Amino acid sequence: MANRAVDLVITYRVVKLLVTPFDKQEAFKYGIIDKDGKVLRKYKTLQKPEEKRSYTVLHRFIFNLKRILQKAGLGGRLGSFAVALGLLLRENKEYVPHKQLIERIVINYFKDNNLYEEMLNEQMQVQERIDTPEMTCFGLDLYIQNGELVSEENYAKRL
């Protein structure tokens, strides 16, 4: 049971970091990264404990992942959340019964932080397709393309 709780906390941290824009990250506030996530100061040069806490191995991993997702067209927060949840559900079927609860918690988080409208207004251009989605998370269809789980927005871009 304890392992499961730890896994849930880690999953929450990863997803939260993944969907928080670079300019809202602590590392940005300390001048460690720029608004696009590019590293301005290497970890070795960080002196203050709060700087080091804002740029851990987990942060660096997530920032690199975010830049890769942006290059693949998954820069939007809703798309990132949908793919993250889809990967979680695909990896561990035990979370499937809790899908709606997870979606509700995430949406409530966005609403509580006045980010919900902004997230919904992020530009998405979705084209018609005839394939059947693998699953739907946060109202976005997710598809398998070249062995990867992609949101409907990115799926349409790659057609």
Side-chain angles (χ1 to χ4, degrees), residues 1 15 20 23 74 90 95 136 155:
M1 185 69 166
V15 172
T20 303
D23 62 354
L74 288 171
R90 189 172 161 198
Y95 290 110
T136 301
Y155 179 79

Side-chain angles (χ1 to χ4, degrees), residues 3 38 69 76 123 151:
N3 287 340
K38 183 178 177 192
L69 289 173
Q123 228 177 355
S151 69

Side-chain angles (χ1 to χ4, degrees), residues 1-158:
M1 185 69 166
N3 287 340
R4 210 167 158 173
V6 171
D7 287 349
L8 194 55
V9 169
I10 292 169
T11 301
Y12 172 77
R13 283 199 65 206
V14 167
V15 172
K16 186 172 187 237
L17 284 170
L18 189 61
V19 299
T20 303
F22 287 119
D23 62 354
K24 303 283 189 215
Q25 301 280 354
E26 290 292 317
F28 177 81
K29 293 175 186 172
Y30 292 118
I32 300 167
I33 60 170
D34 68 8
K35 65 179 178 57
D36 299 318
K38 183 178 177 192
V39 178
L40 302 174
R41 297 170 54 203
K42 299 263 185 209
Y43 184 80
K44 290 187 250 178
T45 67
L46 303 180
Q47 300 295 321
K48 299 178 183 174
E50 58 270 12
E51 290 176 331
K52 291 182 178 186
R53 279 193 304 268
S54 71
Y55 195 59
T56 64
V57 172
L58 177 65
H59 290 93
R60 290 182 295 222
F61 169 74
I62 296 299
F63 295 164
N64 287 332
L65 180 61
K66 282 174 62 104
R67 286 197 310 275
I68 291 168
L69 289 173
Q70 285 177 338
K71 287 179 183 178
L74 288 171
R77 283 178 280 188
L78 186 59
S80 295
F81 260 121
V83 169
L85 179 57
L87 289 170
L88 177 67
L89 296 175
R90 189 172 161 198
E91 186 65 30
N92 190 340
K93 301 291 185 208
E94 291 179 19
Y95 290 110
V96 172
H98 309 292
K99 178 179 169 279
Q100 288 182 336
L101 175 63
I102 294 168
E103 288 178 344
R104 216 174 346 191
I105 290 169
V106 170
I107 289 170
N108 285 339
Y109 169 81
F110 275 117
K111 286 180 177 178
D112 291 345
N113 290 285
N114 298 319
L115 299 169
Y116 187 68
E117 292 298 321
E118 180 184 331
M119 180 186 67
L120 290 179
N121 291 327
E122 288 178 346
Q123 228 177 355
M124 275 188 24
Q125 296 175 351
V126 180
Q127 300 173 0
E128 283 295 316
R129 77 209 132 259
I130 55 174
D131 296 343
T132 304
E134 179 77 12
M135 66 181 70
T136 301
C137 297
F138 299 104
L140 292 177
D141 290 336
L142 302 176
Y143 296 86
I144 300 292
Q145 191 172 56
N146 299 328
E148 294 180 18
L149 199 58
V150 296
S151 69
E152 61 186 83
E153 174 186 13
N154 295 310
Y155 179 79
K157 286 179 184 177
R158 295 179 183 181

